[in-house]
Amino acid sequence: MDEDQAAGEILIVTGMSGAGRTTAANALEDLGWYVVDNLPPQMLRPLLDLTGLAAGALPKIAAVVDVRGRDLFGELPAIASSLRTGGQLRVLFLDASDEVLVRRFESVRRPHPLQGDGTILDGIRRERERVAVIRESADVIVDTSALNIHQLANRIVDLFSEEGQARHTVTVMSFGFKYGLPTDVDLVADMRFLPNPFWIPELKGLTGEEGPVRDFVLSQDGALEFIDAYALALHPVLEGYQRENKRHSVVAIGCTGGKHRSVVTAIELARRLAEVPGVAVRVKHRDLGRE
């Protein structure tokens, strides 16, 4: 590999079965990590080399490595140690109490992967013996005994998101009621209480992205009051979405044709929502240009 093709970094996600590896992996994927599940430890070096060949396309890779790899898993401590010398690897270990792990396995009615002919607790004890070495050398250990899936996902976001990275993305979408309600939205607002620029000849051919239409819509009684109040009402909603680890939402703003009032309102609302900490805002005009 050329020197200018520097390898990236791999985060190994491992730990006890039932401690939340899948939840952690999903949270990392939502943060933009490339996640590989159930990877044999022997594939970590080729995967690390691949990050260099990918020319920046795979800057952050998380590999879930656990006892499902059977005998191959036993080589993880030695392989991780060799990769760690270059500062290219970190290990996240997820753990939970035996009592909690037993309860989780019983709730999903699945056997422990190392249970064999014994009990769930027998499998847990065998697994603890096999993961003890890698746990001792882990960079981060998270005990999930008292965490639900949302709390665990939030913990992963806190640990591995980049500074300033958004915890929630909201799309503010304008649309026209005459083309039907959007089906993939969380909240809907109706701007048909405002006068329609469609009936003003000099504004009919323009859109809400243009100054004359914007000025007309925002000058109407109740327009700015509604936008300001709605944005303020959405602040605790978006903050709550972050606490509940809801990563995406869509706020739909409708008018008759999706050309004037809803477009202006969507743009103005997005500007205000961009002030909410941890939120990234996108604007989409579903029906603009259909007339």
Side-chain angles (χ1 to χ4, degrees), residues 3 25 68 124 169 200 213 230 261 277:
E3 292 182 359
R68 289 175 296 170
I124 291 172
T169 299
I200 300 176
V213 174
Y230 194 38
R261 295 164 291 181

Side-chain angles (χ1 to χ4, degrees), residues 23-201:
T23 298
N26 290 340
L28 289 166
E29 195 167 52
D30 288 342
L31 287 173
W33 290 65
Y34 184 86
V35 178
V36 183
D37 188 27
N38 198 14
L39 187 76
Q42 294 77 3
M43 295 299 297
L44 286 169
R45 170 59 69 182
L47 186 61
L48 187 60
D49 292 341
L50 179 62
T51 65
L53 298 174
L58 298 173
K60 299 184 296 183
I61 295 181
V64 181
V65 183
D66 51 65
V67 294
R68 289 175 296 170
R70 301 181 182 180
D71 292 342
L72 296 176
F73 179 77
E75 297 185 34
L76 177 59
I79 294 173
S81 178
S82 67
L83 292 177
R84 194 187 293 275
T85 57
Q88 299 166 313
L89 179 140
R90 289 185 293 168
V91 176
L92 165 65
F93 190 97
L94 299 170
D95 204 350
S97 69
D98 289 357
E99 179 184 358
V100 168
L101 293 175
V102 169
R103 188 164 63 246
R104 289 176 182 173
F105 273 104
E106 288 178 341
S107 68
V108 296
R109 299 182 180 179
R110 296 194 63 188
H112 187 281
L114 298 183
Q115 180 174 338
D117 295 330
T119 66
I120 293 174
L121 190 57
D122 291 333
I124 291 172
R125 289 170 177 167
R126 293 185 186 116
E127 185 175 25
R128 287 209 183 278
E129 294 175 359
R130 298 192 64 179
V131 302
V133 175
I134 196 67
R135 188 185 193 280
E136 291 176 1
S137 62
D139 298 277
V140 181
I141 298 175
V142 177
D143 189 329
T144 70
S145 300
L147 303 179
N148 61 37
I149 58 174
H150 303 297
Q151 293 167 331
L152 173 56
N154 282 331
R155 177 71 172 137
I156 297 301
V157 170
D158 290 338
L159 287 169
F160 297 103
S161 62
E162 297 177 359
E163 185 176 355
Q165 185 173 1
R167 297 171 61 94
H168 182 85
T169 299
V170 57
T171 298
V172 184
M173 177 195 297
S174 68
F175 73 96
F177 279 98
K178 73 178 185 179
Y179 300 113
L181 279 168
T183 57
D184 56 344
V185 301
D186 298 280
L187 300 163
V188 178
D190 184 357
M191 302 309 297
R192 291 177 295 184
F193 68 90
L194 297 177
N196 191 348
F198 179 84
W199 302 111
I200 300 176

Side-chain angles (χ1 to χ4, degrees), residues 207-274:
T207 74
E209 294 182 309
E210 299 175 84
V213 174
R214 176 186 179 277
D215 294 342
F216 174 84
V217 171
L218 296 182
S219 68
Q220 302 306 308
D221 290 341
L224 285 172
E225 291 84 350
F226 172 82
I227 295 170
D228 290 338
Y230 194 38
L232 188 62
L234 288 174
H235 275 226
V237 175
L238 297 177
E239 292 168 354
Y241 283 163
Q242 293 181 63
R243 289 192 298 272
E244 292 300 310
N245 200 44
K246 180 177 173 64
R247 300 288 298 172
H248 306 279
S249 64
V250 180
V251 177
I253 310 295
C255 64
T256 303
K259 181 179 180 180
H260 298 112
R261 295 164 291 181
S262 63
V263 173
V264 172
T265 303
I267 294 171
E268 292 299 314
L269 181 64
R271 289 174 180 167
R272 289 158 174 78
L273 295 183

